Amino acid sequence: MQRVTELAIMPRYRNLAAGEVEDKGGNDPVTIADKESEALLREGLLQIDSTLAFVGEEVAHADPAVLDQLDLPCWIVDPVDGTRNFATGKPPFGIIIAQAMDGEAQSGWIYDCLSGRFCAAHKEKGATIDGGRIVARPTGKAPPIGAISLIFMEEERREATRRHISPNYELVDIPFCAAEQYPRLALGVNDVSIFERTLAWDHAAGVLWLNEAGGKAARPDGSAYRVDQWDRPGLLGAASPALWDELAELYAKIN
């Protein structure tokens, strides 16, 4: 991840030429750095284990049939998470990789391209940052700090969220980058987050990492996040199980 950052991502940061940014639709940009990063990551990961299928964000956009491989043992890759930020020359952005089997992430890695922060988790083995064990901690603020994404919600759900959930939290801006949002939930920066869109390359590693750190990320009904249910909306994350329970109770009111 460090090597790919140095080769494909940072040379393009604040240095994208005309025509090197495209819109995949729905204000979802992709840059030449995304494509080059994914190609290099695919090459490297398949050298590590070529028996795993490869599900990258850009190859899946080009061929949606690739998503059918999410129920197989596979690599799941977001080559530049936070492309919206990267394309406009702003932080944060990173690389996210997960290794999944039977629809569940077994390992996950999140790399911050600017700071070099490296989050890693393995199922039932805990979570680390830069090799040191991490235990999720709430902010301790009252009301709790909420980073709530409304951008992929229908307007009716946005309004219900504003009415039933938002007043219970001190709201802060979302970073438009899962590689930043999940660490914030463990590092005492944010207490809760709501995600409407739950694509595997955005969330597989982060969900595993937060849960292994002692926080909680799960579907609003309490069921586990599965990478092969990427088209199912709704995912709640919190710095502790107690904060998650409070958020889930409020979330139930908007359905």
Side-chain angles (χ1 to χ4, degrees), residues 64-181:
V66 168
L67 294 167
D68 294 339
Q69 299 180 86
L70 285 169
D71 59 357
L72 302 175
C74 64
W75 296 109
I76 304 170
V77 171
D78 192 334
V80 180
D81 181 65
T83 299
R84 183 183 305 197
N85 300 331
F86 178 82
T88 54
K90 300 185 299 185
F93 53 90
I95 298 173
I96 304 176
I97 299 174
Q99 189 183 78
M101 183 178 297
D102 298 325
E104 296 185 356
Q106 305 297 311
S107 296
W109 303 270
I110 305 172
Y111 185 75
D112 185 304
C113 297
L114 288 170
S115 71
R117 180 185 64 202
F118 182 61
C119 301
H122 305 283
K123 192 172 182 180
E124 298 180 359
K125 294 183 178 179
T128 63
I129 294 182
D130 298 331
R133 189 68 175 263
I134 180 71
V135 177
R137 61 182 187 272
T139 67
K141 298 286 185 66
I145 306 298
I148 298 173
S149 176
L150 303 175
I151 56 176
F152 296 109
M153 290 184 181
E154 299 292 336
E155 183 54 40
E156 184 177 342
R157 288 179 63 77
R158 283 196 193 104
E159 184 54 40
T161 300
R162 294 188 187 104
R163 186 167 61 252
H164 294 293
I165 297 177
S166 298
N168 298 277
Y169 298 96
E170 179 184 336
L171 299 183
V172 294
D173 290 338
I174 61 170
F176 297 102
C177 175
E180 174 65 16
Q181 199 150 353

Side-chain angles (χ1 to χ4, degrees), residues 211-251:
N211 284 329
E212 288 293 324
K216 183 172 180 178
R219 295 296 186 178
D221 63 2
S223 61
Y225 175 80
R226 293 182 54 86
V227 303
D228 53 0
Q229 295 176 348
W230 57 270
D231 55 347
R232 178 181 171 186
L235 179 62
L236 308 182
S240 72
L243 284 164
W244 191 94
D245 289 343
E246 293 170 6
L247 178 60
E249 184 176 346
L250 293 168
Y251 188 90

